[in-house]
Amino acid sequence: MIVIENVAVATVDTADTYHADGHVVVGDDGRIAAVGAGPAPAADGDTRRVDGSGCLVTPGLINTHHHLYQWATRGLAVDETLFGWLTTLYPIWGRLDAEVVGAAAGAGLGWLALSGCTTSMDHHYVFPRDGGDVLEAEIEAARRIGLRFHPTRGSMDLGRQDGGLPPDNIVESTDAALAATEQAIDRWHDPSPGAMLQIAVAPCSPFSVTERLMSEAAELARRKNVRLHTHLAETDDEEDFCRERFGCTPVEYAERLGWLGDDVWLAHGVHLDDSAIAKLGATGTGVAHCPSSNARLGAGAARVRELLDHRVPVGLGVDGSASQEAAHLGEELRQALYTARIRGGPAALDARAALRLGTMGGARCLGRQDELGSLEPGKLADLVVWRLDGLGHAGIDDKLAALVLGPAAPVELALVGGRPVVERAELVHADADTLAREAVRAHRRLLDSE
């Protein structure tokens, strides 16, 4: 049992309950036993007591969109739009293998843990023919770090010769992609309560996937009772591509293929008109909001306030580290708030709403809202204790404002299922310097193999 006391508590429950001085009790079953104001109740047996003075405890952050392999190609094509960035990097990604992906995923997940993330998805869609088992490599990396993991089996089957964007040597056949996706679900997906590993189905995007793969992937996911994910409405180029090739907008295309529903979450959703937002809200389709990546690529700013007003589940994502080199999920809270206010003024999003995006919003996107996303008795003990009494946060009395508006806060303690993964801003199960060295070797190996 772990008792965290003398701490500010942001529960992110339905009432947004906040305790300026409270406690959280974690049971030995890895679930939250108690949350409340004032001192913790007396605890029996073997108990670790954590003094949270100067700290804020929140639910662990949930990353709803990422491409972990991209840690190996950070700092490239830094002044390109999305399509220019992709065409520059596709040939490099064609040389990926399990060793490179494992090293990149280890670095990316380790960094996410240090940024306050306790659950992350990953969207992996590049499977070179001689690259080995790259999905297994990132799953092993997640186990090494200790994070709860929702990797998706992505795919591309629309190469350049057929009117797609990716080069032909890195796309799969439709049948091969569907078969490999089903095999990944059968091998790795854990549907049980408290699962540490769940698989989703994730064809890449309208400009790299055929209509057949999109529609049959949706059928496969629903037959297997797993979730669906893809990129949609990220850029004006994608909008133009869909109108020219399919005669409709990206959301109309998704609707046509059975890709709207409460088992679907879409990456980005930047270029959505009123009709598209209304459709997402009516169907319960989620959106992974990636404000820093959208800014880095100049893609635009998602209409988050309008999405929330239409009851669209909205989570946060750092996106791939090659399109957003910081990849710090804690900082995305501030970026989301700033992006919303640039569009709609100071009332568009406050600190509590930003934290909700990064926690309960993410849990809803991943279909884990009954277990994750808030600090409530019975939920999984995935939580973060943020240290807010250092120089960078000095004089900010409102600890939630300090977390969201101040500089990146050190993680004093992060628990996943009640087990520590970060202590005093250090990884518990891996060495950050080792992860960095492995990532540098992977980067050099990938670039030097041209």
Side-chain angles (χ1 to χ4, degrees), residues 265-427:
W265 85 105
L266 307 169
H268 303 298
V270 173
H271 296 274
L272 300 173
D273 60 19
D274 291 346
S275 172
I277 291 174
K279 284 181 180 180
L280 297 186
T283 56
T285 306
V287 170
H289 178 38
C290 306
S292 292
S293 175
N294 296 154
R296 201 279 212 178
L297 291 171
R303 298 171 65 190
V304 172
R305 181 68 266 158
E306 292 92 335
L307 289 167
L308 295 174
D309 288 344
H310 281 78
R311 301 184 183 278
V312 175
V314 180
L316 292 182
V318 298
D319 204 359
S321 302
S323 70
Q324 201 276 91
E325 282 78 359
H328 191 289
L329 191 55
E331 292 184 345
E332 292 303 296
L333 302 175
R334 183 184 340 109
Q335 293 296 97
L337 183 146
Y338 285 174
T339 299
R341 291 186 177 191
I342 286 171
R343 290 192 65 97
L349 204 72
D350 62 16
R352 278 178 169 75
L355 179 61
R356 181 169 290 275
L357 293 181
T359 53
M360 181 53 73
R364 292 178 67 198
C365 285
L366 299 186
R368 301 294 296 270
Q369 62 269 29
D370 293 337
E371 295 190 296
L372 303 172
S374 62
L375 300 179
E376 300 179 79
K379 284 201 164 185
L380 293 169
D382 290 17
L383 59 82
V384 177
V385 180
W386 308 88
R387 180 149 295 286
L388 297 169
D389 56 359
L391 177 60
H393 301 92
I396 308 177
D397 293 331
D398 180 341
K399 286 188 167 54
L400 192 49
L403 174 66
V404 175
L405 299 175
V411 173
E412 180 71 11
L413 177 67
L415 304 180
V416 175
R419 296 181 295 272
V421 295
V422 177
E423 295 244 27
R424 297 178 181 85
E426 298 284 348
L427 296 171

Side-chain angles (χ1 to χ4, degrees), residues 45 188 232:
W188 297 111
L232 204 77

Side-chain angles (χ1 to χ4, degrees), residues 179-211:
T181 301
E182 184 162 9
Q183 290 166 6
I185 297 167
D186 291 342
R187 180 181 180 189
W188 297 111
H189 182 68
D190 179 3
S192 63
M196 289 291 291
L197 178 64
Q198 294 195 340
I199 302 293
V201 175
C204 184
S205 65
F207 50 82
S208 60
V209 174
T210 62
E211 294 182 58

Side-chain angles (χ1 to χ4, degrees), residues 98-141:
E99 182 180 348
V100 169
V101 170
L109 290 164
W111 183 244
L112 278 174
L114 292 171
S115 78
C117 176
T118 55
T119 297
S120 183
M121 68 82 70
D122 188 59
H123 188 184
H124 192 94
Y125 54 84
V126 181
F127 293 88
R129 292 176 181 83
D130 56 353
D133 195 335
V134 294
L135 185 60
E136 180 180 37
E138 66 173 18
I139 288 171
E140 290 303 319

Side-chain angles (χ1 to χ4, degrees), residues 33 48 51 57 86 95 108 136 163 175 231 275 278 283 302 377 405 409:
R48 175 186 174 185
D51 182 3
V57 60
L86 283 170
R95 301 191 292 273
E136 180 180 37
D175 289 336
H231 297 95
S275 172
T283 56
L405 299 175

